[in-house]
Amino acid sequence: LKNYKTDALYPYDSFLFGDYLHQLCEVILKKGIDKKLTWGCALRADTTKKEDLHLLKKANCFMTFYGFESGSERMLVRMNKQITVEDSLRVARYHHEIKLPFLALIIFGYPGERLEDVRLTQRFLIKSQPYYFAITPFNPMPGSAVFDQLKSEGKIHITDPYSYRKHRFYSR
């Protein structure tokens, strides 16, 4: 904190669960960092336990972030998320019980998504009642399997794979 003169931290690490998460919270509490730092973190719905959220709240974590992506089981399988809608609903219930805010990240427009999948995601958002949510259009990342698939199908319309941040560049 002293070296970087920061007062906020948002670790985005898919390994932030179990012992690693508990050790981080213990260090934050032991060193009094919870009194000096605003922090939040990204977690996975399938690895988060209720006791994790209690510890996060105790360590003054103000919010967590989840890449739920969809409320449709079919789309979660297509995305290879390795979570279920029930995992996401379970962790949302824990957050409401503990009163620890969470942000739900949702993607629309993933290849193969149908109107019924969108409706399932709407229902999921209503049922899970995230404190905050962000909806983003699907944008395939260079090097991902879906990017390579869309490129091989002729649906990627750029030559510079790093311009993906500038605009939507694929078609269905």
Side-chain angles (χ1 to χ4, degrees), residues 21-86:
L21 174 67
H22 289 226
Q23 289 170 9
L24 175 65
C25 289
E26 288 169 13
V27 167
I28 286 171
L29 289 166
K30 183 178 178 183
K31 295 191 177 244
I33 296 169
D34 57 311
K35 313 262 188 292
K36 306 171 195 169
L37 184 72
T38 298
W39 74 289
C41 60
L43 298 173
R44 286 188 52 91
D46 60 333
T47 60
T48 300
K49 296 178 175 63
K50 191 187 272 190
E51 57 267 21
D52 298 335
L53 299 179
H54 279 294
L55 186 55
L56 285 164
K57 188 169 184 177
K58 183 178 176 184
N60 205 28
C61 174
F62 84 99
M63 182 168 48
T64 64
F65 311 84
Y66 293 92
F68 294 145
E69 317 306 13
S70 179
S72 163
E73 293 290 348
R74 190 180 77 80
M75 292 309 300
L76 293 173
V77 169
R78 284 185 69 91
M79 294 175 184
N80 195 28
K81 283 296 294 179
Q82 300 177 353
I83 63 169
T84 65
V85 172
E86 184 49 42

Side-chain angles (χ1 to χ4, degrees), residues 145-156 158-161:
V146 71
F147 180 93
D148 294 341
Q149 175 191 343
L150 292 170
K151 189 165 178 91
S152 73
E153 293 171 359
K155 294 180 179 177
I156 300 285
I158 62 164
T159 54
D160 175 10

